Amino acid sequence: MPLFSQYWYNLHWKNEWFTIHRIQRSPASLPRDIEHIWEQFVNFLDYNILENIRRLGFRKPTSIQACLFDAFLMPYHLFMAAETGSGKTLAYAAPVLSEIIRMKNAGRNPKAIILVPSFLLHTQVTTMVKELVKNLDVGKEPYLKILSTIHGVNNINPEDFDILISTPGHATNLLKLISTPLDIPFVIIDEADTLLDDGFVEKMASFLSVVPIKYSSIEGTASNDKGARVIFCSATCPDGLQELAEGVVQADYLQLVKSDYLHKLLPNVKQTFIRVREQDKIPYLIDLIADDYESVNGRTLIFCKDNDTVTFVSEKLLGDHIPNKVLGRDHNIEGARLLVSTDNGSRGMDIPNLRHVINYDMPRDLADYIHRLGRVGRCSKSRVNSRVTTFFGAIRGSIGAQTRIVTAIERAARLDQPLDDVPANVKGKIKDQKLRKLERSGKSLDIDEEEHDETFDLA
Ligand SMILES: Nc1ncnc2c1ncn2[C@@H]1O[C@H](COP(=O)(O)OP(=O)(O)OP(=O)(O)O)[C@@H](O)[C@H]1O
């Protein structure tokens, strides 16, 4: 099939562009014809949680939420793979919290642990969990204690929490401080494509050496039907990722819950690709921002390939009297109309009122593109006009790789098919490599006590 972008291998062409237009206004994850209603789940989700969901204004469950609620009833570990912004947090949180409440009412003292890759995500997941358990408290004490380690928790007692939200390294350090065995029926691995990849192998291995997992595939740590049920949650499911999950739990006990839209381009987001020379990027960027300020009453997020470029872009804009904040560096981003970030901010972030994503640097691969694209067009923003603009920087050496990414996107759009060969950084096998080493040495890995944001290490 002839593709417009296939000729972009050629270095000397510049300022060419093409656009993939929006083909529908509402997100694919919220089907227009009502397929599911909350009332279907009244016997399964806690009454208060359902009330809170309604209070949040969510009129109906998204497709993946309905699928996960159904799958949750079976006694398997779950791998939920669904497009960005499809409401995966609520999909796992609502049933897990309901089940924890039920167990607590029956006299147990259960704990759920939610692992996230970065401190940016802590706040967001914590906010959603807290919203879901509002109005549950009867006396002064909260009925469910939510402990988020964002504010540098250094000590922990079993009575301090029912739900722990943390990065894997920090969670491991805290759990090691507790000498009594805990009843942990649920572990959620959010952003599993990041948490199971090479950068987290050691931290995850260490975490799994302190938390027993049901039907674990890690020898020496398994206790068959005792231990935690795991819910993996991811916006991409590249080849090899499921295999990695099977390095944590036995394949026979792992159920894949997959959205039909996985790896498809969001149909409600306009996507433009422009060939821009490196030296022209800043003026182009300033023009785009000016355009946004004039025409859109929303926020713009700029993605750069690394921290140095983030600093460069942010300072250049400030030098041009364009105020901006850096995600992850500036802690209070409230009110900031313009944000700059590395790919760290592309994982799971749900930024209110975001309308435009600008890829100042091309994403490294299709998985990064999916995550960046997914900051807009989310199910909470039904019918909002959002767009993504990607600068294709024609630099000798990277042009082949960049063209391959753009042609893959163009082809997927033309054929209305999922993106092919979404890659994963999944060479490190938790099961095969690190834990075996640990078992042999008879000790667990040391995690840096100071760590807060583990994905920044990756950048
Ligand atoms: N049923 C629903 N209807 C409308 N909005 C919803 C619904 N469920 C969740 N949301 C909202 O949709 C937004 C996206 O949800 P969430 O962050 O959980 O998506 P996600 O699938 O985890 O995305 P990502 O893959 O980027 O992490 C949030 O603002 C959330 O509050």
Side-chain angles (χ1 to χ4, degrees), residues 29-30 38 53 56-65 80 82-92 121 124-125 128 190-191 233-236 346-352 370-371 374-375 378-382:
S29 52
L30 270 176
W38 293 114
I53 291 175
L56 285 168
F58 302 157
R59 287 179 36 245
K60 55 184 177 180
T62 62
S63 309
I64 196 66
Q65 286 167 351
M80 168 170 51
E83 67 276 15
T84 48
S86 54
K88 293 188 287 297
T89 316
L90 188 146
Y92 67 69
L121 269 183
Q124 197 172 296
V125 172
M128 173 56 89
D190 203 344
E191 305 296 329
C233 173
S234 179
T236 66
S346 73
R347 299 301 194 266
M349 290 298 292
D350 192 56
I351 300 168
I370 289 176
H371 283 288
R375 295 319 98 208
R378 300 167 73 76
C379 70
S380 48
K381 301 179 184 86
S382 259

Side-chain angles (χ1 to χ4, degrees), residues 42 94 121 137 226 300 328 392:
V42 279
L121 269 183
D137 314 334
K226 293 206 176 52
T300 301
F392 177 99

Side-chain angles (χ1 to χ4, degrees), residues 365-418:
D365 55 40
L366 290 173
D368 282 350
Y369 184 76
I370 289 176
H371 283 288
R372 289 180 181 190
L373 169 71
R375 295 319 98 208
V376 285
R378 300 167 73 76
C379 70
S380 48
K381 301 179 184 86
S382 259
R383 310 189 71 74
V384 164
N385 284 347
S386 28
R387 62 180 178 137
V388 174
T389 307
T390 303
F391 290 168
F392 177 99
I395 301 175
R396 206 178 290 279
S398 71
I399 193 157
Q402 291 195 32
T403 310
R404 274 191 294 281
I405 292 173
V406 181
T407 52
I409 295 168
E410 192 189 343
R411 181 179 296 111
R414 285 184 190 275
L415 296 173
D416 191 22
Q417 280 181 355

